[in-house]
Amino acid sequence: MPAIERIDTFIVDVPTIRPHVLAMATMHAQSMVIVRLTDSDGVEGIGEGTTIGGLSYGEESPESIKLAIDTYIAPVLRACDAAQVGATMAAIRKSVRGNHFAKCAIETALLDMAGKRLGVPVSELLGGGRVRSALPVAWTLASGDTARDIEEGEAVLAQRRHRIFKIKIGKRAVADDVAHVGAICKAFAGRASVRVDVNQNWSEAQADLGMGMLHDVGVDLVEQPVARDAVDAMARLSARHTVPLMADEALNGPRSAFRLASSAAARVFAVKIAQSGGLLAGGEVAAIAAASGVELYGGTMLEGGVGTIASAHLFSTFPELSWGTELFGPLLLTEEILSEPLGYADFELAVPTGPGLGIALDADKIAFFRRDRTAPVVHASA
């Protein structure tokens, strides 16, 4: 059996093209944990573990992801058959609780290896295989400045890159946020879908007021307006309002998906491979949604190229993807860490057809952006 012989983990810090303002943090750079596995047959696989704003978004940070892999997951990996992805991940889950982002990075690398070993894309290892070759991609307007957001939206529309806009709100008073969003809705009426993400920053009373006002100004979707554990409040808001409520932070794997679906707490699920604990668990979340009549959106943790394309492989297998995806993470960064940029064109992202993830790291960019720049250069993965 092929055994894992080398496990490389390192953090890369890449600046963003502009400040990215969220309710819980303002990002000026993205920190990504890159994993590279090499087995005894010489097959390599890459994965990514990325979160937002250090520990301001959730319980894992880039530093804790790397620590979990190096200290607790690596010994389990070395004892497993690298070709048996499901069995290997089951062994990791038995030994390591939680740490979904770290597990997702490892599973992504294992699936990349499996696809290369078999000569097929990762999408063909998931569910029934891909049903689409490209995915609609939203762009997040998060400068916080109305005129700047409209100018930015016009630019990406003209480039035929995005016609779905998500606006980050929740830091200002509800009425001020609605005025900001309403101006953007008016600017793009009939040309783009406008959604908002509150990132859990409203109380139920604020959400009740805000969702009604946002519907009136033309918003199509409201993402996670209240705290992730406020499932009853989400259910009440979903029952009261016409504009759909989308669950994001409330989703952290199949069990949470089942609870949300059975409680009618959301009409849309934002599936994220990292929050779910990997691509396989993300597929289970999507299956629960489909069986429950909940619509799907392909979410992001603002990953770089590796995590973005891993998500794209999974999302390409969803029979229905009513709300598109948000896989714009690499476009928010000043530099691409892949040897070839991902294919964004005509408002969509192309899903690679090569073996595994179908991508490779840019060795020079990785060496430059590594936090530990004195470490050996990681060569591009084939």
Side-chain angles (χ1 to χ4, degrees):
M1 71 177 190
I4 299 294
E5 290 194 339
R6 181 170 177 177
I7 303 167
D8 296 314
T9 62
F10 47 90
I11 299 172
V12 294
D13 301 299
V14 183
T16 55
I17 59 174
R18 54 147 167 81
H20 195 69
V21 183
L22 301 93
M24 82 295 288
T26 297
M27 294 173 53
H28 298 275
Q30 182 58 296
S31 299
M32 299 164 276
V33 181
I34 303 297
V35 177
R36 188 178 73 153
L37 306 180
T38 308
D39 72 12
S40 53
D41 293 331
V43 179
E44 295 178 356
I46 53 176
E48 177 184 341
T50 295
T51 185
I52 297 171
L55 282 171
S56 65
Y57 181 89
E59 292 83 1
E60 291 181 76
S61 68
E63 297 79 12
S64 73
I65 293 168
K66 176 172 166 52
L67 176 67
I69 293 170
D70 292 348
T71 307
Y72 299 102
I73 295 177
V76 181
L77 267 179
R78 292 192 176 95
C80 293
D81 181 348
Q84 301 295 316
V85 179
T88 298
M89 292 310 300
I92 291 171
R93 286 193 296 271
K94 186 175 180 180
S95 297
V96 179
R97 305 295 180 187
N99 290 278
H100 281 189
F101 289 67
K103 289 173 180 174
C104 179
I106 292 296
E107 185 188 87
T108 298
L110 289 170
L111 287 167
D112 186 30
M113 297 171 77
K116 290 172 179 175
R117 194 177 289 111
L118 296 171
V120 299
V122 164
S123 56
E124 300 311 303
L125 304 176
L126 306 170
R130 71 175 65 187
V131 296
R132 54 179 61 83
S133 59
L135 305 165
V137 179
W139 178 252
T140 294
L141 299 172
S143 75
D145 180 273
T146 306
R148 182 174 178 181
D149 281 353
I150 292 172
E151 182 181 5
E152 188 175 301
E154 292 287 5
V156 296
L157 261 176
Q159 296 165 13
R160 295 185 59 81
R161 220 175 64 183
H162 309 279
R163 54 186 171 195
I164 303 168
F165 297 131
K166 189 169 84 171
I167 306 168
K168 293 288 186 178
I169 62 173
K171 294 188 75 170
R172 297 177 283 204
V174 173
D176 292 339
D177 270 339
V178 171
H180 170 62
V181 174
I184 295 172
C185 286
K186 184 177 180 180
F188 296 112
R191 297 188 294 150
S193 172
V194 177
R195 298 97 181 259
V196 301
D197 185 3
V198 191
N199 284 125
Q200 311 179 79
N201 223 43
W202 281 347
S203 67
E204 183 177 353
Q206 288 175 312
D208 204 15
L209 173 66
M211 288 180 70
M213 295 172 70
L214 288 166
H215 174 261
D216 290 344
V217 299
V219 167
D220 295 329
L221 186 69
V222 177
E223 182 175 346
Q224 201 65 54
V226 294
R228 64 183 182 181
D229 57 355
V231 177
D232 292 342
M234 291 171 64
R236 288 189 291 268
L237 291 165
S238 291
R240 282 199 294 263
H241 292 281
T242 301
V243 62
L245 185 154
M246 179 164 71
D248 175 12
E249 288 92 342
L251 281 166
N252 57 11
R255 290 186 179 179
S256 63
F258 180 80
R259 183 186 179 198
L260 291 169
S262 61
S263 302
R267 281 187 275 164
V268 184
F269 281 180
V271 181
K272 294 182 177 179
I273 61 172
Q275 282 185 183
S276 299
L279 284 76
L280 301 177
E284 293 178 27
V285 169
I288 290 168
S292 306
V294 175
E295 295 180 329
L296 294 177
Y297 177 70
T300 182
M301 288 303 303
L302 299 179
E303 292 101 336
V306 179
T308 293
I309 217 61
S311 298
H313 277 285
L314 174 63
F315 301 158
S316 75
T317 70
F318 293 172
E320 300 292 336
L321 193 58
S322 302
W323 292 89
T325 78
E326 195 179 341
L327 298 180
F328 71 91
L331 299 174
L332 187 61
L333 305 178
T334 58
E335 298 284 347
E336 177 59 79
I337 64 169
L338 301 182
S339 59
E340 293 186 15
L342 301 183
Y344 292 95
D346 292 324
F347 308 110
E348 294 186 317
L349 168 63
V351 185
T353 57
L357 293 174
I359 57 174
L361 296 173
D362 182 315
D364 293 334
K365 293 288 181 61
I366 291 295
F368 181 80
F369 287 110
R370 279 182 73 146
R371 190 173 289 181
D372 57 340
R373 292 190 189 182
T374 59
V377 172
V378 174
H379 296 290
S381 176

